[in-house]
Amino acid sequence: MAYTHPESNPQHKPKLGLALILLSAAFTSVGQLLWKIADGEINFPLLVGCVCYGAGAVTMITAFRFGKLSVLHPMLSLGYVFALFMGAFFLEEPISLMHIIGTALIIVGAILIGGGDN
C-alpha cells in the first residue's frame, strides 16, 4: 500500500481542519490567560499572550483551508472550555454548577457540529 500525503487525501482534510481549529482555540485561550496574568501592564506575559493569540489566528486561518466554515468556526467555542479550566487551575477561580452545565453544553454542541463534517 502506497503512502498518501494527508493534504492530497481529501478524507484527511476535515480531521486536519478540526485538529488545527482545536489548536487555535488552545492558543487563543492561553493568550487570554496571559493577558489576564499581565493585569493591564505591558510586561512579558502580555507580549507572550499576543504571540499566542497571533498563533491562534494563523492556525485558524490555516484550518479553514481544510474544512467547512460552518463546522470549524463553532469549534472555536471550545476555547471557552479551555479558558474555564485554565482560570480554575492557574488563577484559582471557582467553578460553579452553572459553569459545569454551560461547559457540558458547549462540549456537546461542538461534538454535534464537528461530527457532521465528513
Side-chain angles (χ1 to χ4, degrees):
M1 178 178 247
Y3 172 75
T4 304
H5 191 272
E7 290 187 17
S8 64
N9 185 348
Q11 294 179 349
H12 290 268
K13 289 182 179 181
K15 291 178 182 176
L16 180 59
L18 286 173
L20 287 171
I21 210 74
L22 290 176
L23 185 62
S24 173
F27 273 134
T28 55
S29 58
V30 168
Q32 292 167 351
L33 171 68
L34 292 172
W35 290 346
K36 175 69 176 170
I37 290 172
D39 198 27
E41 302 289 327
I42 297 176
N43 52 27
F44 187 70
L46 177 77
L47 298 176
V48 175
C50 289
V51 170
C52 287
Y53 208 79
V58 169
T59 53
M60 179 176 53
I61 291 166
T62 305
F64 288 149
R65 291 181 56 213
F66 300 104
K68 297 175 185 173
L69 178 66
S70 62
V71 171
L72 294 177
H73 197 273
M75 299 297 284
L76 287 172
S77 65
L78 291 174
Y80 297 117
V81 176
F82 299 152
L84 178 77
F85 288 111
M86 285 190 291
F89 185 77
F90 294 108
L91 305 175
E92 298 180 1
E93 294 177 349
I95 297 178
S96 68
L97 178 61
M98 294 303 286
H99 287 128
I100 293 170
I101 292 170
T103 301
L105 291 172
I106 290 171
I107 292 171
V108 168
I111 290 170
L112 291 174
I113 292 170
D117 196 14
N118 297 326

